[in-house]
Amino acid sequence: MMISINIIICYHLLAVSVFSFTESFTSITQIKSFLRYSTGNQLLLADNVHNDDDTGPESGGCVSLSVNQKSSALKRELLQLAASYDRGFGATPRAREEASDIIQQLAVINPTENAARGIDGNGEDDDAPLKGAWRMIWTTALDVVSLAASPVAAPSAIYQVIDPPVAINIIDFIPRVQTFFPPSIAQNSLLRAEVGTRAYPRFGKPNRVGLVFEGIKLQPVEIFGQKVDGLPPLSVDFTWPQNFLAQFVPGIDDLGSTQNDPDALGYFDIEYLDDELLVIKQQGGGRFALVKVNNYDP
């Protein structure tokens, strides 16, 4: 009797083991099949899942991950750094290195070729991938990071608004004291600074955008909680001397043109661009990461 019971128990344990192995093998096969037939470009990531015969593209313990998944993960990491270190204004050297590494990885999988196309406004609007309003989430550019050192005004939202061939850099400033107190104590005040530029492609550099500075405008938007955007702005026009001379000297607009000199002063390079994120590198080396937004209202 005891022998029969032991035999029954052994058969039961053997059946459970076979069932568990079959389930595990089926799950692994389904996962590998899903990854094998996923669409899009493929990146290889190390994994402990192996083929039963170690043949085919998966041999060596690798599974596939799409470029979209990789870019989404990298963008999340960059957003986390931006939130933790105040868009780069409070970044430590280690945080800057981490952000630089993320951006370099994004640049390798940049999905947009010839990203500067249409920037001169001569093509169709839908063929200008840079067109839109972009809000800064990270920067290492010294000329922007240094704005946080002011004891009087603090930088608020920063945008780059591109409507080819015009590119406008927008920086909103608020009083430094306003950052110390809640709105019920410190009434909102805001000053908007706009730097206008004319953009054009650089010959032989499909991801480089040349810039010609055209003017600066300072516009009060709100003072102590009261809207004052109807006040006239303080503006400086850099183009009036050339426009004035063009009335008397035909062709002067073409003098000093840097379009055929890809390395002339005044440009930025596009390192990554998709429908959500834009990463550019200044001529001096400073980087900007910006996300696309629906509007840039103050």
Side-chain angles (χ1 to χ4, degrees):
M1 183 68 178
M2 290 296 296
I3 295 176
S4 300
I5 293 175
N6 289 335
I7 292 174
I8 292 172
I9 292 174
C10 289
Y11 272 113
H12 177 72
L13 292 175
L14 179 61
V16 170
S17 299
V18 170
F19 177 78
S20 299
F21 174 79
T22 304
E23 287 295 307
S24 299
F25 178 80
T26 302
S27 299
I28 292 174
T29 303
Q30 290 174 344
I31 292 172
K32 290 163 71 63
S33 297
F34 170 76
L35 292 171
R36 185 184 302 116
Y37 294 106
S38 61
T39 60
N41 297 325
Q42 302 292 315
L43 295 176
L44 295 179
L45 295 179
D47 195 271
N48 291 325
V49 180
H50 297 272
N51 281 332
D52 53 346
D53 57 358
D54 285 331
T55 61
E58 293 174 321
S59 64
C62 291
V63 296
S64 301
L65 183 66
S66 72
V67 169
N68 288 337
Q69 291 173 310
K70 179 67 173 178
S71 63
S72 295
L74 290 170
K75 286 188 282 188
R76 282 196 300 271
E77 292 181 28
L78 186 58
L79 284 169
Q80 290 169 356
L81 281 174
S84 300
Y85 294 96
D86 189 17
R87 300 175 293 173
F89 289 111
T92 62
R94 180 176 178 179
R96 292 192 187 97
E97 289 180 4
E98 290 181 18
S100 178
D101 180 64
I102 292 171
I103 289 172
Q104 289 175 13
Q105 293 183 62
L106 283 169
V108 172
I109 55 175
N110 178 22
T112 307
E113 297 181 357
N114 190 15
R117 67 182 183 273
I119 194 63
D120 55 3
N122 292 330
E124 298 293 334
D125 287 345
D126 58 358
D127 196 35
L130 282 173
K131 183 176 181 179
W134 304 87
R135 183 168 58 217
M136 190 194 82
I137 61 167
W138 181 265
T139 186
T140 59
L142 182 60
D143 57 337
V144 175
V145 172
S146 61
L147 296 175
S150 171
V152 178
S156 183
I158 298 176
Y159 302 90
Q160 186 166 62
V161 181
I162 301 176
D163 187 11
V166 177
I168 301 175
N169 297 320
I170 297 176
I171 304 178
D172 291 336
F173 291 97
I174 60 176
R176 175 66 64 181
V177 67
Q178 188 172 307
T179 64
F180 300 147
F181 301 100
S184 58
I185 298 177
Q187 295 297 316
N188 290 339
S189 296
L190 188 144
L191 174 69
R192 168 160 285 190
E194 299 183 6
V195 179
T197 63
R198 178 168 48 86
Y200 60 94
R202 288 287 177 90
F203 180 76
K205 299 283 187 177
N207 288 338
R208 178 166 293 182
V209 175
L211 299 171
V212 176
F213 291 92
E214 295 192 331
I216 297 176
K217 181 172 72 173
L218 298 177
Q219 174 68 62
V221 176
E222 194 173 11
I223 298 179
F224 300 125
Q226 301 297 316
K227 293 289 186 181
V228 293
D229 49 1
L231 293 176
L234 175 63
S235 301
V236 178
D237 185 2
F238 296 153
T239 65
W240 75 265
Q242 185 170 342
N243 292 336
F244 176 76
L245 291 173
Q247 302 177 42
F248 309 99
V249 184
I252 195 172
D253 291 340
D254 297 328
L255 294 178
S257 175
T258 58
Q259 185 166 356
N260 294 328
D261 183 359
D263 298 320
L265 294 176
Y267 67 81
F268 64 79
D269 289 321
I270 303 157
E271 295 191 306
Y272 185 87
L273 174 62
D274 63 16
D275 293 335
E276 299 176 331
L277 180 70
L278 167 65
V279 180
I280 62 176
K281 184 178 181 181
Q282 283 183 328
Q283 186 172 7
R287 284 189 170 97
F288 291 85
L290 309 98
V291 293
K292 200 165 194 176
V293 294
N294 294 326
N295 64 76
Y296 50 98
D297 297 334

